[in-house]
Amino acid sequence: MAVAPASTPASHGARALHLPGVLSAEQLHRSASYLVHSQESGGAIPWFPGGHTDVWDHVECAMALTVTGRNVPEHAAAARRAYLWLAESRAPGGGWPAKFRQGVPVTRLREANHAAYPAVGLFHHLLVTGDAAFAEHMWPVVEEGLEFVLALRGEHGEILWARSEDGSPGDHALLTVCASVHHALRCGTALAARLGRERPEWTAAADRLAVLINEHEGLFSDRGRFSMDWFYPVLGGAVSGAAAKDRIEERWDRFVVRGLGVRCVSDQPWVTAAESAELVLTLAAMGDAETGVRVLRDVQHLRDADDGVYWTGYQFAEQVRWPVERSTWTSAAVILAVDALTGTTPGSQVFLHTWDDLALG
């Protein structure tokens, strides 16, 4: 692969990310430093040092480092390495293996949402850094990822969740996956336009997914006990306006535990920081920053005061942290939630779905 062009220097004098009364800039930078510490020499960012890597969570971490990288050059460089790793780790035939260990694939299964999410991350990177040369260099990653996803379309336009190890498509579609793919198709289309390309077929595919998500939710496998199926249609931009407000209000008490955060699943006494932060992203997209701040404040009990890293979850019936791990993508989701609430970087527009309001230089 050709050497990537030099990146545009980050704006290290830019306003530092912080959320008054909840998280300071120093606290957020400490959280982001954990992602850098966890990054492997090849660029992959695993779930925790020595753990496995999946592309979706890897991209989430890269976006968080892009945000804090406006003020911390080490973070900006780590984000760039993370994106370059995506180009090197693609699977033959498209997409990425669902799991890596120390940079080595451990399965041939390739998931749709993994293949789609680099489009979100690389559009986010362009918005934050303005580095069009890097975006151009990474364009094949976005294009090949989304084309792999569209090859998994079912008969109604839904996206089947994965391509199995033998190359056959999955036999069902997941609501959260399709909502995430919808988001990625919109971001990929916007990135294409900024690079002088047009991808009307991506727009059409996203439009079809939005119809299915809004009008035919029964088409998707029933995973209603998971909070992601509740808020991701809004987070991914497929459901908006009054419909989004109704959806969030209807299931609020099922998933939100005041003072603790958001349940991962409705039938277990378990809140997680990542689901809480993603609900905050959803609330920010809806224009309800006040509630978002409250939810983010509630989940700060999962922040390790010693180094600023977030524990994955808390089992509140047993009053124990579980699992006993500090996932990188959890800290990343918190950083992105703060950016969405405050609008500190242009990248926040990726989650607010207002990038068309921006004028890029």
Side-chain angles (χ1 to χ4, degrees), residues 34 55 105 116 179 201 210 271 285 298 300 304 328 352:
Y34 177 61
V55 165
E201 67 276 16
V271 296
D298 284 350
Q300 294 309 305
D304 191 323
T328 50
L352 302 177

Side-chain angles (χ1 to χ4, degrees), residues 224-263:
R225 61 191 285 264
F226 288 86
S227 60
M228 287 192 298
D229 264 25
W230 166 47
F231 59 72
Y232 238 92
V234 182
L235 174 56
V239 179
S240 60
K245 184 174 184 292
D246 290 345
R247 184 181 187 90
I248 296 304
E249 287 182 351
E250 177 190 4
R251 309 181 204 180
W252 184 270
D253 291 337
R254 186 188 309 176
F255 291 110
V256 179
V257 183
R258 191 174 183 91
L260 290 179
V262 177
R263 295 176 190 254

Side-chain angles (χ1 to χ4, degrees), residues 26-308:
E26 189 274 336
Q27 288 175 316
L28 288 163
H29 288 161
R30 290 178 71 200
S31 299
S33 292
Y34 177 61
L35 312 185
V36 179
H37 170 70
S38 302
Q39 189 172 35
E40 296 170 358
S41 59
I45 304 177
W47 281 29
F48 42 81
H52 76 272
T53 301
D54 76 72
V55 165
W56 198 100
D57 291 304
H58 167 90
V59 170
E60 189 91 336
C61 291
M63 284 194 283
L65 288 170
T66 302
V67 168
T68 59
R70 294 166 73 248
N71 300 95
V72 185
E74 182 186 15
H75 296 182
R80 182 181 171 86
R81 287 196 305 273
Y83 285 122
L84 290 171
W85 177 80
L86 290 174
E88 301 293 346
S89 59
R90 286 173 288 181
W96 285 264
K99 183 181 289 188
F100 295 81
R101 287 196 183 278
Q102 287 73 55
V104 178
V106 296
T107 178
R108 292 193 299 275
L109 176 75
R110 293 165 289 165
E111 297 188 26
N113 59 316
H114 293 185
Y117 210 48
V120 179
L122 286 161
F123 181 47
H124 177 271
H125 189 271
L126 176 61
L127 291 178
V128 175
T129 67
D131 191 348
F134 188 69
E136 185 69 46
H137 180 76
M138 297 301 297
W139 171 252
V141 169
V142 173
E143 184 174 42
E144 291 175 23
L146 289 177
E147 290 300 323
F148 171 83
V149 168
L150 292 182
L152 284 168
R153 275 180 290 191
E155 63 177 310
H156 304 288
E158 75 279 18
I159 305 298
L160 302 175
W161 77 281
R163 192 166 291 282
S164 67
E165 294 205 349
D166 66 6
S168 60
D171 61 0
H172 62 279
L174 300 173
L175 181 60
T176 295
V177 167
C178 287
S180 183
V181 168
H182 173 271
H183 191 195
L185 286 165
R186 297 291 189 206
C187 289
T189 301
L191 177 61
R194 282 158 173 77
L195 296 179
R197 296 173 170 86
E198 299 296 331
R199 291 295 183 272
E201 67 276 16
W202 294 358
T203 299
D207 289 344
R208 181 58 183 162
L209 282 175
V211 170
L212 296 177
I213 290 167
N214 279 277
E215 301 178 12
H216 303 283
E217 191 167 333
L219 178 68
F220 304 99
S221 293
D222 183 8
R223 290 167 59 91
R225 61 191 285 264
F226 288 86
S227 60
M228 287 192 298
D229 264 25
W230 166 47
F231 59 72
Y232 238 92
V234 182
L235 174 56
V239 179
S240 60
K245 184 174 184 292
D246 290 345
R247 184 181 187 90
I248 296 304
E249 287 182 351
E250 177 190 4
R251 309 181 204 180
W252 184 270
D253 291 337
R254 186 188 309 176
F255 291 110
V256 179
V257 183
R258 191 174 183 91
L260 290 179
V262 177
R263 295 176 190 254
C264 178
V265 290
S266 60
D267 55 356
Q268 294 295 324
W270 178 41
V271 296
T272 63
E275 270 82 359
S276 299
E278 289 179 327
L279 178 61
V280 173
L281 289 169
T282 302
L283 293 165
M286 294 168 58
D288 190 358
E290 181 179 352
T291 305
V293 170
R294 192 188 80 211
V295 172
L296 198 62
R297 182 183 291 114
D298 284 350
V299 82
Q300 294 309 305
H301 65 95
L302 283 169
R303 181 183 179 86
D304 191 323
D306 290 337
D307 58 9

